[in-house]
Every structure is written in structure tokens, then in C-alpha cells.
Amino acid sequence: MGAASMAIRGFLLLLLFLSAAHLSLSLYEDQVGLMDWHQQYIGKVKEAVFHTPKSGRRRVVVSTEENVIASLDLRHGGIIWRRVLGSNDVIGGIDIALGKYVVTLSSDGSILRAWNLPDGQMVWESFLEGSGSSKSLLSVPTSLKIDKENLILVFGKGSLHAISSIDGEVLWEKDFAVESVEVQQIVQPIGGDLAYVLGFVGSSHFDAYQINVRTGELLKHNSAPFSGGFSGEALLVSSEILLTLDSTGSKLVIVSFQDGEINYQQTPISDIFGDSLGTPVLLPSKLPGLFSVKLNGAVIFIRVTGEGKLEVLDKVNNVAAISGAISISDGQQAFGLVQHGDGKIHLTVKPTIDLSADLLKESIDMNNQRGVVHKVFINNYIRTDRSNGFRALIVMEDDSLLLLQQGAVVWSREDGLASIIDVVTSELPVEKVGVSVVKVEQNLFDWLKGHILKLKGTLMLASAADVAAIQEMRLKSFEKSKLTHDHNGFRKLLIVLTRAGKLFALHTGYGQVVWSLLLPTLRKSETCKYPTGLTIYQWQVPHHHAMDENPSVLIVGRCGQSSEAPGVLSIVDAYTGKEINSMAAVHSIVQVIPLPFTDSTEQRLHLLIDANQRGHLYPRTCEAIDIFQQEFTNIYWYSVEADNGIIKGHALKGNCNQEAVDSYCFESKDIWSIVFPSDSEKIIATVTRKLSEVVHTQAKVIADSEVMYKYISKNLLFVATVAPKGSGEIGTATPEESWLTVYLIDTVTGRILHRMTHHGSQGPVHAVFSENWVVYHYFNLRAHRYEMSVIEIYDQSRADNKDVLKLVLGKHNLTSPISSYSRPEVVTKSQSYYFTYSVKAIDVTLTAKGITSKQLLIGTINDQVLALDKRFLDPRRSLNPTQAEKEEGIIPLTDALPIIPQSYVTHNLKVEGLRGIVTVPAKLESTTLAFTYGVDLFFTQLAPSRTYDSLTDDFSYALLLITIVALIAAIFVTWIWSEKKELKEKWR
């Protein structure tokens, strides 16, 4: 047996060596892209400027509502370069100068930047000061010369600035805030050094300033009163004429300012449109010599003649958008307009000199899930036959961006995903036994088409389009992108709601859009003029053993900006994206409370609170009301009035006292309130535990086998307040003037369980509440650094629970019911640490059973997500932990939290404009799913305690099989050797 054991031992050493060699070649970077995905967007386009040189890359430069400047390739719509400005750095104007710079104006006219057109690198940046507030205007001359210093005029903050196009130097400045003029337009006539600054003084004077562009000298100032008064903005019709409405809105006023001399001409609207009902609206389309008016759903184009007369040229119905004018051959100009009809969009390009002629007329089939056209930008090119061709960039209602050319959609971008406001997850359907996934996901035609494509690819006969289709098929057939539920729960649907009121279902495999729905209830209509999406909730989650019903989600919206505006509800199938039901609520919606009860169809009960603190039960069924009545006395909620510094607790009282009997409406009563003194405290943050969080155990074993019991309650509320002087931006208050106070409040009784003050600190505060602890981030003015603090709360009433006999006999107080009305005996532990970065969002990992250790996911100011082990935020950390504490896992105390580069779950990627982090448990206990959204999207799988309950994706099953076979062979060979050896020994 000695030879056999030596052989086995040698083989095991060889196997260990091979395994170690295999592990040494497995790099962490190799996992990037296997378990995560990253998508880049730009947001809803506000302005667009085309750059189409005769040679070189053709592109369009856009600015968006997400404060993004981007250069897009006109061939496929891909991002060439992109720059994301801050959330407060709103872009007010964009243009291209000298054919090589992109000039942008932002921050209310206070920051002017020039970007290199090819690569987006910043060339120069100018900070413009002013003494007032005003609209911002950017004027880039069209006749710029490269070998000459050209001036860019900018109006903002009540001042006019002249900036050099070479280096961004401010050459001169003139303050108009002292003149009390509300500037409307800046006009630079071509071929001169003059500029006109035009605006209103009050509501009855028009002022024109003639300025020397080179020196900033005021050459002439004219002011003329107008007895009718002005209303609205003034439109520039030509280089010498403005148009506006009088104060009553019944007359069109033409303002001529030739050579600075001001003249008025008034035309009653009834003389042009007759006795039409409705109020005319001037459209801000830049058409030379023309202007457009929207009246009763139609757009009327009117020309201003040289004598100041108005001539109606055309009337077009169902116009969705009008573009600005562009120059075409022979010095002519043209503009485009888009109409809707018959499920199509109709694009028409007309010359400005003759609106009866059409340079282009096309109809394009359009998916109705994109809504109507909001904006259109056109560009011309020369066809091979030397005629003018046109392409149109259109912005749709769902914030998507499309390029139209030659009657077809060349490319499209789903940029609505850059403005996600809420996220919820849904499980995928279970793959039924005996049914192929191919049959579920594809029909017979698609199946045959796929095999033909694969055959063409094998015979090398596939075209470029066929190759792309084959790659897409392979992606769909890959395990990660299947549209069925997997054993570990990694494959899910991320259902997101965007600011445009559109739902997207994203597959967690690769982030592909499974379905999308532009919600009818959140579209602008006569009954709902200002729809706003609020949140998404799980509505129906049927168990997998009874899949007759698909899961569904509830989308809550509002018809208006005010909290008292009526609410709207939609219920959408999570698998198909079809709207099951919609309700226009007659009441407002200020709060939605998902109740922990479901009916026989697994529909979850929801209590919707209106502005009068009445509760409305949904679904409105007899079964739901029966379930609700049984738990009537156990329903509590709270409301926060941050502006007034009041937190109130509420309970149900009875049915509503209304004229019309509504058995699903309930009056409420205030059971407690906390009023924070307005002169010393202002509420800036509140946070509670997630309802879906699972706590594995209430007991926490500490050093020397001692046990502490977590105070676990879903009714705890964390509140942060600051001194009024410290409620502004960081640095606006001194350490003596600002302090931060945090509270832990029981929302059933209103009892304050813990209170702590951080002197010399201020917000903003970002916090996360999990189990019995809360972590929050703020700024320490004394140390000039950010800090993170942790509070853990424990139940002292169970501290003596060490008698097993009492537990067996049922006399242990762990078995006694817990009530918020019984005064808790709690103890808290807290600690503060310095933290390097500012924080945009913070969340905590969630797992299926709550066994796995926790990690904090911190969205930092550099738009990355950092995973920080909760052990670093243990309040029991000390400078010299005992041996027992070291064995427990207590880390020695340091004043700052470590930033480990390998702990960035986003790797070297950025989630630009990061706004939120959502964590979802997988079925595998070790793994949690994390979704980060902003202008970009990022998804990944995390294992805070490593994958202790599964094999890794790179595990070599082939090596395992070889090992098993080799071991069996080795055992068999050594057995034969052993038998022969024993036989020889017996013959001796």
C-alpha cells in the first residue's frame, strides 16, 4: 500500500499545482463585462447643429435636458464624444464657430465654453459676471474668419459681454441691469461692427441700444413708449423687425428699429384670422421674413412685407413641429415641418420665399409608442444629380431621437432612458417542462429564417446585414439573455419609468429592451395638460406554481405640478407590456402605502393618501375591502411636511363623510405630531427600511460569546435636520452657525428613540437604513471634510435571554409579542469616520435570506459606485481590539474610511449623471443584483461574501472531469500494483 499511497499523493500534488496555475491566470479584470453591462445615453435633445463638410466625418452636435453636449455620427447615431455638465449647469445655447469649435453657453449665461469639434476637448472657458438675473442669449456671427479675431456676444446675468473666439478672453462688458431693461434679442447685421440690443422696460416701453462691437461703445439709445403694453416674448423676424403681442393679446405689434429709430405698427388679430375662437400663440421658429402663429390647432404662416404689412401665406393643420431655416443653394433658405396622420409622420420641406412649393414631401411609418414629434431639425446635402436632398433629426414625445432620410428611419436612439425616475423588478416566466425555449420565444417562420441565416454564414454567403442578424440571434440564444426564469434568479426584468411617461422593461442579461410602453395616462391631453409620472409599485406577483396570471405593476402619476392635482393610475402586464387597466382618480395622490396583504389573485392592497389625508383603497373589490376591514385598526402611516418642519402620525378613523357614498374611502386622524422649531432646525432628509428586506437573525454574537439583540422594526424613521443657516450650499455658514441633528423615531407612537447632534456640520445628507442600523453622510465644517456616521440600535429588554430552559418552557420573552406601544428599552452605539468623497446616492446590498454580510454601495461625486464593507462602519471599532474582537472580525479603528480602488463595482466606467442605486436579491444567497441609473445605466452582480454557495463562471468543468477520471485510473493502477506486491510477498 506504500507505493499506492505515494502515487496518489504525487498525483494530488500535481493536481494542486495545476489548480494553482489555473487560478494564477484568472484575473479580476477578466470578469468585467461578463456579469455587468453599461449603456450610454444623452437625454432629450433641446438644440442641434449639423456639421456636414464635403470630406470628413459628418456629425450633429446636440445639447440636451440632462445638460449633456454630444457629437453624434450621422451614419449610425453613435456617440463620437460626450460631455456631461453638472446638474446646475443648464445649457442655454449652442453653436458651431469657425467649423472647428462648439460654443456653449450655460449656467444662466455665466459660463461660455469652446470645445474642439473633432474630439470634444475643452479649448477655453470664460466665467461671465453680472449684477442681475435675466434670460441668456448667445450670438455667434455667421461670417467668422479663421485668420481674424472674432467676437462672440453673450447676454446673461443682466450684462452684455464680448468674448474673443480665439482664447475666450472677455474684451468688454456692459451692464444693462442698471437700465432695468428686459433684453429680448441681440442682433448683429452681417458685414458690420454694429450690434443692437433690444428689449422691454417695464411693460410699456421698448428700448434699442446701438453698440460698437469692437469697443463696446454705446453709439445710440432710443426708447419709445407703447400705450397698449407688451405681453410675452418678442420674435426676431428680420435684422430690422421684431414681432410681439400687446398686453391684451388681441393685436400683433410690429416693432421696427432701423438705424435705432423705433416705430410701431399694430394689426388687430381679428383682421387676420377673423372672429376665430381661441388665443393665438406665437411660435419661436426662426424663419427670415416670416413668423408662425398657432390658433385652434392650426399653424398660420405670415409674411411681414417691407411696408410692415402682414400677408397670410399658408395655413397648415396638425403641425407637430417646425424647424428653423437653413441655407440651401443659390442663397435660398428652407425650413421643415412635421405633421401627423394615418399612423405616419409627414415631413415637408418648403422654401421660405414660396410656401406653395415643396422641396421635399415624405411619409414615414412611425411606431405609435413613440408618441408625437416634439422638435425637428433639418439639414441639406447635394445628391448625385446635383439636386438638394434633406435629412431630418426629430425628437419624439418619449424623448427618443431619430434621423429620417429618403423616407426611412436611418437610426434611432432610446434616450428617454437617460431620465429614469423609478425602478421596480419582475421575475421572468418559468420555462415549462417539455416546451422548448425556442418555441416560446420564436414562431416557426423565425426558426426557419434563423437556420437559413446560420447556413449562409457557414457557407460564407452572408451579407453584412445577415452577419449582424446572426450575432443578434446568438445573443438572444445565449444563456444570460433567455426570456425565462433561471434557477439562481439572475435573470430578471428591470421595469423603469422615465420622465417622459414611458415604461421600459430591460433584461438584466445584457440590458436589451424587452418591451416598451408610452403610457396613455401620462400623455398630454385636454383633460390632463401637465402629466407627471411619480412611482412604480408591484401590483400582482403570482407564485410560479400558478402562472395563469402574469405579474403586473402599478404606475402612479399626477395631472399637474401641484400635490393637489388629480392622480392617474395604470396597471401594466410585466411580461407583455400591455396596459391592463387605467384609472383617472378623482382624488389627489400625495402618498402610496403598499399594504402587506394580498387577495386570492395575489393582487397587493394599496392605500392611496390624498391631499386631505384621506385614504383610498385599491383594488376596489369586495374581497379587498373584507381583508382591509380585518386589519383596519393595525394600519398606521406618517407624513413629513419638510417646509413646515412637522412630522405627523396617522391612523384610520372611518369611512369618508361625502355626499356620494364611497366604501373604499376612509377618513384619518392624527395620533401624534413632532414640530421642529423653525428657528433652529429644518428637515433635509428622511429614510426608512425597505419593506422587502429580510433579516436572518435578531441576535448578534459579539466577543466573549456575549449576545446583543437587534432592535428590528419596520416602523423606525431616520430624520436629519440642520440649522436654517446651514441649509444652503457647503461654505455658506460658519461652523458656529450650523449643526446637524439626527433622530430615530417610531412612526406608530411618535416616540423619539434616539437623538444626536453633530456641531459644526451641515448637509446635504444621504442615508441608508438596514436592519437595526443607519449610515448617513454629511459635511464637517470644522474639519473641512466629509464624514460618514453609523448608528446601531439594540433591544435591551431581551439582554437576559440566555436561559434555554425558559425558552423550552415557553417563558422566554423572545416568544412574547412585540408592540410599538410597549416602551422599548433600547441602547444605541454610534461612531463617525472621515470620508474622502461627496456622495450622490447610497444603498445597501440585499440578499434572499439576509445571511450574507452587507456592503454599502456609494455613488460618489465622480459618478462611480464604491462597495464598502459594513465592517468598516462598525461602531464597536477600537484602536486596539482584543483577541476576541479580532476573531469576531472587528477592524482596528482609523479616523478615515479606506477607498480601495478594487472596490469600485463600476471598474473604470462612469455612470454619468448618477442619480440612484437599486439593489435586488437573487435566489442565490451569496449574490445581489445592483442597478445604477443616471444619464448612463450600469448593472452588475455582487457577492459581498464571495460566492460561497456556487461555483464561479470560470470554473473548469473539463479539468474537474479529467481529475475524476485520472483519480479513478490511479486508484485502479495502484490497486493492481498493490495486489501484485502482496502476491510476491506471499511467495517468499
Side-chain angles (χ1 to χ4, degrees):
M1 291 299 291
S5 62
M6 287 293 291
I8 294 175
R9 195 175 302 168
F11 179 78
L12 290 176
L13 287 173
L14 176 63
L15 179 62
L16 181 62
F17 172 76
L18 291 174
S19 301
H22 174 72
L23 289 174
S24 66
L25 295 175
S26 299
L27 300 178
Y28 179 77
E29 286 78 8
D30 294 342
Q31 300 296 324
V32 177
L34 296 179
M35 297 184 294
D36 54 54
W37 46 263
H38 179 236
Q39 297 177 354
Q40 293 183 321
Y41 298 97
I42 58 175
K44 184 178 183 179
V45 171
K46 294 195 299 185
E47 294 184 68
V49 184
F50 289 90
H51 180 67
T52 54
K54 293 182 179 179
S55 61
R57 205 170 190 177
R58 292 176 173 86
R59 67 186 76 207
V60 58
V61 181
V62 300
S63 65
T64 72
E65 293 184 357
E66 301 297 328
N67 301 332
V68 175
I69 306 158
S71 175
L72 305 179
D73 195 309
L74 278 179
R75 293 174 300 174
H76 49 71
I79 299 174
I80 301 173
W81 57 262
R82 180 186 64 162
R83 298 292 176 265
V84 182
L85 307 184
S87 58
N88 298 323
D89 198 3
V90 180
I91 302 171
I94 184 171
D95 208 339
I96 293 179
L98 303 176
K100 63 177 182 178
Y101 293 151
V102 177
V103 181
T104 61
L105 181 65
S106 59
S107 293
D108 295 327
S110 60
I111 301 178
L112 185 71
R113 299 180 178 95
W115 314 83
N116 196 28
L117 181 58
D119 57 13
Q121 296 299 317
M122 186 187 296
V123 180
W124 49 257
E125 181 179 39
S126 294
F127 294 92
L128 312 177
E129 298 180 353
S131 58
S133 60
S134 64
K135 66 187 296 185
S136 58
L137 300 170
L138 172 65
S139 177
V140 179
T142 56
S143 58
L144 293 179
K145 296 180 180 179
I146 297 177
D147 58 347
K148 181 182 178 183
E149 183 179 52
N150 301 278
L151 296 183
I152 299 172
L153 295 183
V154 173
F155 182 81
K157 299 288 185 181
S159 297
L160 180 68
H161 301 80
I163 294 97
S164 168
S165 62
I166 297 176
D167 55 10
E169 180 185 358
V170 179
L171 301 179
W172 54 263
E173 174 188 353
K174 180 167 178 57
D175 187 5
F176 282 90
V178 296
E179 307 285 345
S180 301
V181 59
E182 185 182 346
V183 174
Q184 296 292 318
Q185 297 287 345
I186 298 174
V187 182
Q188 284 185 269
I190 299 175
D193 290 337
L194 296 178
Y196 292 95
V197 178
L198 312 169
F200 301 138
V201 177
S203 60
S204 58
H205 278 75
F206 182 83
D207 281 36
Y209 298 82
Q210 191 181 62
I211 296 175
N212 187 312
V213 174
R214 292 293 162 190
T215 63
E217 178 185 359
L218 177 62
L219 303 178
K220 187 183 292 186
H221 172 212
N222 285 47
S223 179
F226 181 68
S227 58
F230 304 105
S231 66
E233 296 185 353
L235 302 180
L236 186 66
V237 179
S238 68
S239 59
E240 297 175 347
I241 295 175
L242 266 77
L243 183 84
T244 186
L245 290 168
D246 69 347
S247 58
T248 63
S250 61
K251 294 180 181 179
L252 289 170
V253 182
I254 299 173
V255 184
S256 173
F257 54 91
Q258 186 174 9
D259 295 329
E261 300 295 331
I262 302 172
N263 294 299
Y264 300 116
Q265 284 183 280
Q266 305 178 55
T267 304
I269 290 176
S270 57
D271 291 353
I272 305 172
F273 308 118
D275 297 328
S276 300
L277 298 175
T279 304
V281 178
L282 298 180
L283 301 179
S285 52
K286 299 178 181 179
L287 306 175
L290 304 176
F291 68 94
S292 53
V293 179
K294 189 171 185 179
L295 180 65
N296 297 331
V299 173
I300 299 98
F301 293 94
I302 303 173
R303 186 186 303 281
V304 181
T305 63
E307 298 79 19
K309 302 297 183 181
L310 301 180
E311 177 187 355
V312 177
L313 300 179
D314 199 2
K315 179 180 179 181
V316 185
N317 293 317
N318 301 321
V319 174
I322 304 173
S323 75
I326 60 169
S327 297
I328 56 177
S329 58
D330 302 329
Q332 295 183 7
Q333 290 189 313
F335 70 96
L337 59 88
V338 175
Q339 298 169 273
H340 287 277
D342 302 327
K344 300 181 179 181
I345 60 172
H346 306 283
L347 173 64
T348 307
V349 179
K350 294 176 176 289
T352 55
I353 58 173
D354 183 11
L355 297 190
S356 61
D358 292 333
L359 299 176
L360 177 73
K361 198 171 183 66
E362 294 176 344
S363 296
I364 302 100
D365 291 324
M366 187 59 59
N367 184 355
N368 59 1
Q369 290 303 317
R370 295 194 182 276
V372 299
V373 177
H374 275 190
K375 291 184 180 179
V376 58
F377 308 91
I378 65 168
N379 175 244
N380 71 302
Y381 61 93
I382 305 298
R383 295 193 181 103
T384 55
D385 60 356
R386 311 305 299 171
S387 63
N388 282 303
F390 296 92
R391 57 176 68 94
L393 188 75
I394 61 173
V395 183
M396 303 299 294
E397 184 181 354
D398 66 342
D399 295 354
S400 59
L401 186 67
L402 295 86
L403 183 71
L404 309 181
Q405 189 171 333
Q406 296 181 354
V409 178
V410 180
W411 51 259
S412 62
R413 295 178 52 88
E414 292 288 359
D415 284 304
L417 287 168
S419 58
I420 293 174
I421 58 177
D422 200 12
V423 183
V424 75
T425 60
S426 174
E427 297 290 345
L428 283 162
V430 176
E431 185 173 0
K432 296 182 179 179
V433 179
V435 180
S436 171
V437 176
V438 175
K439 294 180 181 177
V440 174
E441 299 180 1
Q442 298 176 333
N443 55 35
L444 182 61
F445 176 76
D446 293 333
W447 184 79
L448 290 173
K449 181 181 177 182
H451 278 70
I452 292 172
L453 284 173
K454 289 177 182 178
L455 180 62
K456 290 173 69 176
T458 305
L459 299 176
M460 302 184 69
L461 299 175
S463 63
D466 293 337
V467 171
I470 292 170
Q471 290 177 346
E472 185 178 356
M473 286 172 53
R474 287 174 178 171
L475 181 66
K476 288 183 177 179
S477 63
F478 193 55
E479 187 72 20
K480 286 176 63 177
S481 59
K482 284 185 177 180
L483 293 176
T484 54
H485 183 72
D486 64 313
H487 177 70
N488 292 328
F490 294 161
R491 294 198 298 264
K492 296 180 186 291
L493 288 180
L494 296 168
I495 301 178
V496 301
L497 175 65
T498 67
R499 192 180 299 123
K502 190 170 186 178
L503 275 182
F504 289 89
L506 305 178
H507 195 291
T508 56
Y510 284 102
Q512 65 267 32
V513 177
V514 178
W515 55 259
S516 61
L517 173 67
L518 186 61
L519 290 165
T521 55
L522 294 180
R523 296 187 65 182
K524 193 173 183 179
S525 63
E526 292 295 329
T527 57
C528 189
K529 293 186 177 181
Y530 302 101
T532 304
L534 298 178
T535 48
I536 317 176
Y537 297 91
Q538 297 280 4
W539 177 257
Q540 186 178 25
V541 187
H543 291 103
H544 288 304
H545 63 268
M547 295 302 295
D548 295 333
E549 296 286 342
N550 289 351
S552 56
V553 293
L554 171 69
I555 299 92
V556 180
R558 184 185 293 154
C559 278
Q561 305 297 325
S562 171
S563 61
E564 297 182 356
V568 291
L569 305 173
S570 289
I571 300 172
V572 176
D573 190 305
Y575 288 168
T576 63
K578 295 181 180 179
E579 189 175 47
I580 301 171
N581 192 11
S582 64
M583 294 164 277
V586 294
H587 57 82
S588 58
I589 302 175
V590 297
Q591 196 173 352
V592 179
I593 304 173
L595 300 174
F597 320 120
T598 57
D599 60 14
S600 58
T601 62
E602 303 287 344
Q603 289 188 15
R604 190 167 188 174
L605 274 60
H606 291 73
L607 191 64
L608 277 58
I609 311 300
D610 64 17
N612 297 318
Q613 288 301 322
R614 291 193 180 102
H616 301 264
L617 179 65
Y618 289 88
R620 299 170 69 88
T621 61
C622 296
E623 183 184 3
I625 199 68
D626 291 340
I627 298 171
F628 185 76
Q629 290 289 357
Q630 294 175 11
E631 302 290 341
F632 188 84
T633 58
N634 294 324
I635 297 174
Y636 302 87
W637 73 95
Y638 68 93
S639 61
V640 179
E641 300 175 21
D643 294 336
N644 300 325
I646 301 174
I647 301 177
K648 293 181 180 180
H650 310 279
L652 296 173
K653 185 170 60 174
N655 286 95
C656 294
N657 297 321
Q658 301 179 124
E659 293 181 3
V661 178
D662 186 356
S663 59
Y664 301 97
C665 177
F666 302 92
E667 297 283 355
S668 68
K669 58 183 178 182
D670 297 343
I671 55 177
W672 59 265
S673 64
I674 298 175
V675 181
F676 297 95
S678 58
D679 58 343
S680 60
E681 294 184 69
K682 181 179 179 180
I683 300 173
I684 60 169
T686 59
V687 67
T688 59
R689 277 184 55 201
K690 292 183 180 179
L691 296 176
S692 59
E693 184 183 27
V694 177
V695 180
H696 175 61
T697 178
Q698 187 182 2
K700 180 179 181 180
V701 180
I702 60 176
D704 300 324
S705 300
E706 291 291 329
V707 177
M708 297 183 69
Y709 292 93
K710 306 172 187 176
Y711 185 79
I712 305 295
S713 174
K714 292 186 178 181
N715 300 321
L716 277 185
L717 172 68
F718 169 82
V719 180
T721 67
V722 293
K725 289 186 177 181
S727 60
E729 295 183 357
I730 294 174
T732 55
T734 63
E736 291 74 21
E737 295 174 331
S738 183
W739 54 86
L740 171 70
T741 307
V742 297
Y743 300 84
L744 291 179
I745 301 173
D746 189 299
T747 57
V748 174
T749 62
R751 184 179 291 116
I752 297 175
L753 302 180
H754 179 70
R755 179 182 183 274
M756 184 168 61
T757 300
H758 300 273
H759 295 282
S761 299
Q762 69 173 120
V765 171
H766 297 275
V768 61
F769 206 141
S770 176
E771 294 191 353
N772 69 318
W773 53 265
V774 59
V775 171
Y776 52 100
H777 176 275
Y778 56 95
F779 189 78
N780 188 325
L781 292 169
R782 297 185 188 276
H784 302 286
R785 297 176 70 176
Y786 287 100
E787 283 188 2
M788 291 185 75
S789 293
V790 58
I791 300 174
E792 293 186 356
I793 181 168
Y794 293 94
D795 190 349
Q796 280 293 94
S797 64
R798 303 173 187 273
D800 60 344
N801 290 332
K802 299 175 184 178
D803 194 335
V804 179
L805 181 60
K806 287 185 177 180
L807 181 61
V808 173
L809 297 176
K811 296 182 179 180
H812 204 290
N813 63 0
L814 275 178
T815 61
S816 61
I818 299 175
S819 172
S820 292
Y821 284 103
S822 60
R823 187 173 185 85
E825 299 176 22
V826 297
V827 62
T828 59
K829 296 182 180 294
S830 61
Q831 185 66 271
S832 298
Y833 304 91
Y834 291 126
F835 189 68
T836 305
Y837 295 122
S838 173
V839 168
K840 287 187 171 182
I842 185 171
D843 206 348
V844 64
T845 56
L846 299 178
T847 54
K849 304 297 182 183
I851 301 172
T852 306
S853 59
K854 302 282 188 180
Q855 278 185 340
L856 293 171
L857 301 183
I858 302 170
T860 60
I861 191 64
N862 57 0
D863 290 323
Q864 292 185 295
V865 179
L866 175 71
L868 184 65
D869 197 315
K870 170 60 175 61
R871 291 186 303 159
F872 287 109
L873 283 155
D874 192 326
R876 295 175 53 241
R877 287 177 63 185
S878 60
L879 289 173
N880 298 304
T882 64
Q883 184 61 32
E885 289 176 334
K886 290 179 181 178
E887 292 175 359
E888 182 191 340
I890 299 294
I891 302 173
L893 179 64
T894 55
D895 62 344
L897 295 171
I899 305 296
I900 305 171
Q902 292 82 358
S903 296
Y904 283 103
V905 300
T906 47
H907 318 300
N908 63 337
L909 302 172
K910 282 189 174 183
V911 185
E912 296 281 7
L914 190 151
R915 289 192 303 273
I917 304 172
V918 177
T919 57
V920 183
K923 280 198 169 182
L924 203 63
E925 170 57 28
S926 65
T927 308
T928 184
L929 311 178
F931 176 63
T932 307
Y933 60 92
V935 176
D936 296 345
L937 307 181
F938 181 81
F939 174 85
T940 189
Q941 298 176 16
L942 300 174
S945 300
R946 300 189 180 276
T947 51
Y948 56 84
D949 53 356
S950 66
L951 298 174
T952 59
D953 290 340
D954 59 350
F955 182 82
S956 178
Y957 292 93
L959 181 60
L960 177 63
L961 182 61
I962 292 171
T963 303
I964 294 172
V965 172
L967 278 173
I968 293 172
I971 292 171
F972 183 73
V973 170
T974 54
W975 177 77
I976 294 175
W977 288 351
S978 175
E979 289 293 322
K980 288 183 178 180
K981 185 177 180 181
E982 286 184 5
L983 184 61
K984 286 181 179 181
E985 288 178 351
K986 289 180 179 180
W987 279 103
R988 286 181 181 177

